[in-house]
Short mmCIF file of all heavy atoms in Angstrom, two decimals:
data_model
loop_
_atom_site.label_atom_id
_atom_site.label_comp_id
_atom_site.label_asym_id
_atom_site.label_seq_id
_atom_site.Cartn_x
_atom_site.Cartn_y
_atom_site.Cartn_z
N THR A 198 15.63 23.60 -12.85
CA THR A 198 16.27 22.78 -13.89
C THR A 198 15.42 22.88 -15.17
O THR A 198 14.33 23.44 -15.25
CB THR A 198 16.29 21.36 -13.43
OG1 THR A 198 14.93 20.91 -13.34
CG2 THR A 198 17.03 21.09 -12.20
N PHE A 199 16.14 22.30 -16.12
CA PHE A 199 15.46 22.27 -17.52
C PHE A 199 14.12 21.53 -17.46
O PHE A 199 13.11 21.92 -18.04
CB PHE A 199 16.43 21.50 -18.38
CG PHE A 199 15.89 21.36 -19.80
CD1 PHE A 199 15.74 22.51 -20.64
CD2 PHE A 199 15.62 20.05 -20.36
CE1 PHE A 199 15.23 22.37 -21.88
CE2 PHE A 199 15.17 19.96 -21.69
CZ PHE A 199 14.98 21.08 -22.43
N ARG A 200 14.14 20.53 -16.64
CA ARG A 200 12.77 19.71 -16.51
C ARG A 200 11.66 20.57 -15.89
O ARG A 200 10.61 20.54 -16.33
CB ARG A 200 13.07 18.57 -15.59
CG ARG A 200 12.29 17.32 -15.85
CD ARG A 200 12.32 16.33 -14.71
NE ARG A 200 13.65 15.71 -14.63
CZ ARG A 200 13.76 14.47 -14.07
NH1 ARG A 200 12.78 13.77 -13.70
NH2 ARG A 200 14.88 13.91 -13.93
N ASP A 201 12.09 21.34 -14.91
CA ASP A 201 11.15 22.31 -14.33
C ASP A 201 10.57 23.28 -15.34
O ASP A 201 9.43 23.58 -15.29
CB ASP A 201 11.73 23.05 -13.12
CG ASP A 201 12.21 22.12 -12.12
OD1 ASP A 201 11.65 21.05 -11.90
OD2 ASP A 201 13.26 22.40 -11.31
N LYS A 202 11.56 23.76 -16.16
CA LYS A 202 11.04 24.69 -17.19
C LYS A 202 10.07 24.15 -18.09
O LYS A 202 9.01 24.72 -18.46
CB LYS A 202 12.28 25.23 -18.03
CG LYS A 202 13.10 26.23 -17.16
CD LYS A 202 13.94 27.15 -18.10
CE LYS A 202 14.84 27.98 -17.18
NZ LYS A 202 16.17 27.38 -17.09
N ILE A 203 10.32 22.91 -18.53
CA ILE A 203 9.35 22.24 -19.51
C ILE A 203 8.02 22.04 -18.75
O ILE A 203 6.99 22.25 -19.37
CB ILE A 203 9.94 20.80 -19.94
CG1 ILE A 203 11.25 20.92 -20.45
CG2 ILE A 203 8.96 20.16 -20.78
CD1 ILE A 203 11.43 20.33 -21.89
N SER A 204 8.11 21.71 -17.49
CA SER A 204 6.94 21.43 -16.72
C SER A 204 6.06 22.74 -16.69
O SER A 204 4.92 22.68 -16.95
CB SER A 204 7.22 20.90 -15.34
OG SER A 204 6.14 20.84 -14.50
N ASP A 205 6.80 23.92 -16.43
CA ASP A 205 6.07 25.07 -16.40
C ASP A 205 5.41 25.49 -17.76
O ASP A 205 4.31 25.88 -17.81
CB ASP A 205 6.99 26.24 -15.94
CG ASP A 205 7.36 26.17 -14.46
OD1 ASP A 205 6.73 25.36 -13.81
OD2 ASP A 205 8.27 26.91 -14.09
N LEU A 206 6.21 25.29 -18.82
CA LEU A 206 5.70 25.64 -20.13
C LEU A 206 4.50 24.81 -20.44
O LEU A 206 3.59 25.32 -21.24
CB LEU A 206 6.80 25.34 -21.23
CG LEU A 206 7.90 26.42 -21.28
CD1 LEU A 206 8.96 26.05 -22.30
CD2 LEU A 206 7.34 27.83 -21.58
N THR A 207 4.46 23.57 -20.16
CA THR A 207 3.34 22.71 -20.58
C THR A 207 2.12 22.86 -19.67
O THR A 207 1.07 22.31 -19.99
CB THR A 207 3.72 21.24 -20.64
OG1 THR A 207 4.39 20.94 -19.37
CG2 THR A 207 4.59 20.88 -21.69
N ILE A 208 2.18 23.51 -18.59
CA ILE A 208 1.07 23.64 -17.67
C ILE A 208 0.47 25.20 -17.79
O ILE A 208 -0.54 25.36 -17.29
CB ILE A 208 1.30 23.25 -16.29
CG1 ILE A 208 0.00 22.63 -15.71
CG2 ILE A 208 2.02 24.21 -15.43
CD1 ILE A 208 0.32 21.77 -14.48
N ARG A 209 1.25 26.13 -18.13
CA ARG A 209 0.76 27.55 -18.26
C ARG A 209 -0.11 27.62 -19.48
O ARG A 209 0.42 27.18 -20.52
CB ARG A 209 1.94 28.42 -18.23
CG ARG A 209 2.61 28.43 -16.87
CD ARG A 209 3.49 29.70 -16.64
NE ARG A 209 3.83 29.58 -15.24
CZ ARG A 209 5.09 29.64 -14.84
NH1 ARG A 209 6.17 29.92 -15.70
NH2 ARG A 209 5.44 29.55 -13.60
N PRO A 210 -1.18 28.25 -19.40
CA PRO A 210 -2.11 28.18 -20.48
C PRO A 210 -1.53 28.73 -21.84
O PRO A 210 -1.75 28.09 -22.84
CB PRO A 210 -3.27 29.05 -20.01
CG PRO A 210 -2.91 29.71 -18.76
CD PRO A 210 -1.79 28.90 -18.21
N HIS A 211 -0.88 29.94 -21.85
CA HIS A 211 -0.57 30.55 -23.12
C HIS A 211 0.44 29.72 -23.90
O HIS A 211 0.49 29.77 -25.06
CB HIS A 211 -0.22 31.91 -22.98
CG HIS A 211 0.86 32.17 -21.86
ND1 HIS A 211 0.37 32.23 -20.59
CD2 HIS A 211 2.20 32.35 -21.87
CE1 HIS A 211 1.48 32.51 -19.76
NE2 HIS A 211 2.53 32.45 -20.52
N THR A 212 1.34 29.01 -23.15
CA THR A 212 2.21 28.07 -23.83
C THR A 212 1.63 26.62 -23.88
O THR A 212 1.80 25.88 -24.86
CB THR A 212 3.60 28.01 -23.18
OG1 THR A 212 3.44 27.93 -21.89
CG2 THR A 212 4.38 29.21 -23.59
N GLY A 213 1.00 26.23 -22.76
CA GLY A 213 0.54 24.84 -22.63
C GLY A 213 -0.47 24.48 -23.71
O GLY A 213 -0.53 23.31 -24.20
N ILE A 214 -1.53 25.39 -23.97
CA ILE A 214 -2.51 25.10 -24.87
C ILE A 214 -2.07 24.83 -26.30
O ILE A 214 -2.29 23.72 -26.89
CB ILE A 214 -3.60 26.08 -24.81
CG1 ILE A 214 -4.34 25.93 -23.39
CG2 ILE A 214 -4.67 25.82 -25.85
CD1 ILE A 214 -5.41 26.98 -23.05
N PRO A 215 -1.22 25.63 -26.86
CA PRO A 215 -0.70 25.37 -28.15
C PRO A 215 0.14 24.04 -28.17
O PRO A 215 0.01 23.14 -29.13
CB PRO A 215 0.27 26.54 -28.44
CG PRO A 215 -0.19 27.66 -27.69
CD PRO A 215 -0.84 27.01 -26.42
N ILE A 216 0.95 23.82 -27.08
CA ILE A 216 1.70 22.59 -26.99
C ILE A 216 0.73 21.41 -26.97
O ILE A 216 1.01 20.45 -27.65
CB ILE A 216 2.61 22.62 -25.78
CG1 ILE A 216 3.70 23.74 -25.93
CG2 ILE A 216 3.35 21.27 -25.58
CD1 ILE A 216 4.68 23.92 -24.79
#
Side-chain angles (χ1 to χ4, degrees):
Chain A
T198 60
F199 180 63
R200 210 194 292 207
D201 298 330
K202 284 203 187 96
I203 304 233
S204 176
D205 286 352
L206 283 178
T207 45
I208 208 162
R209 292 199 171 128
H211 46 279
T212 46
I214 291 171
I216 293 175

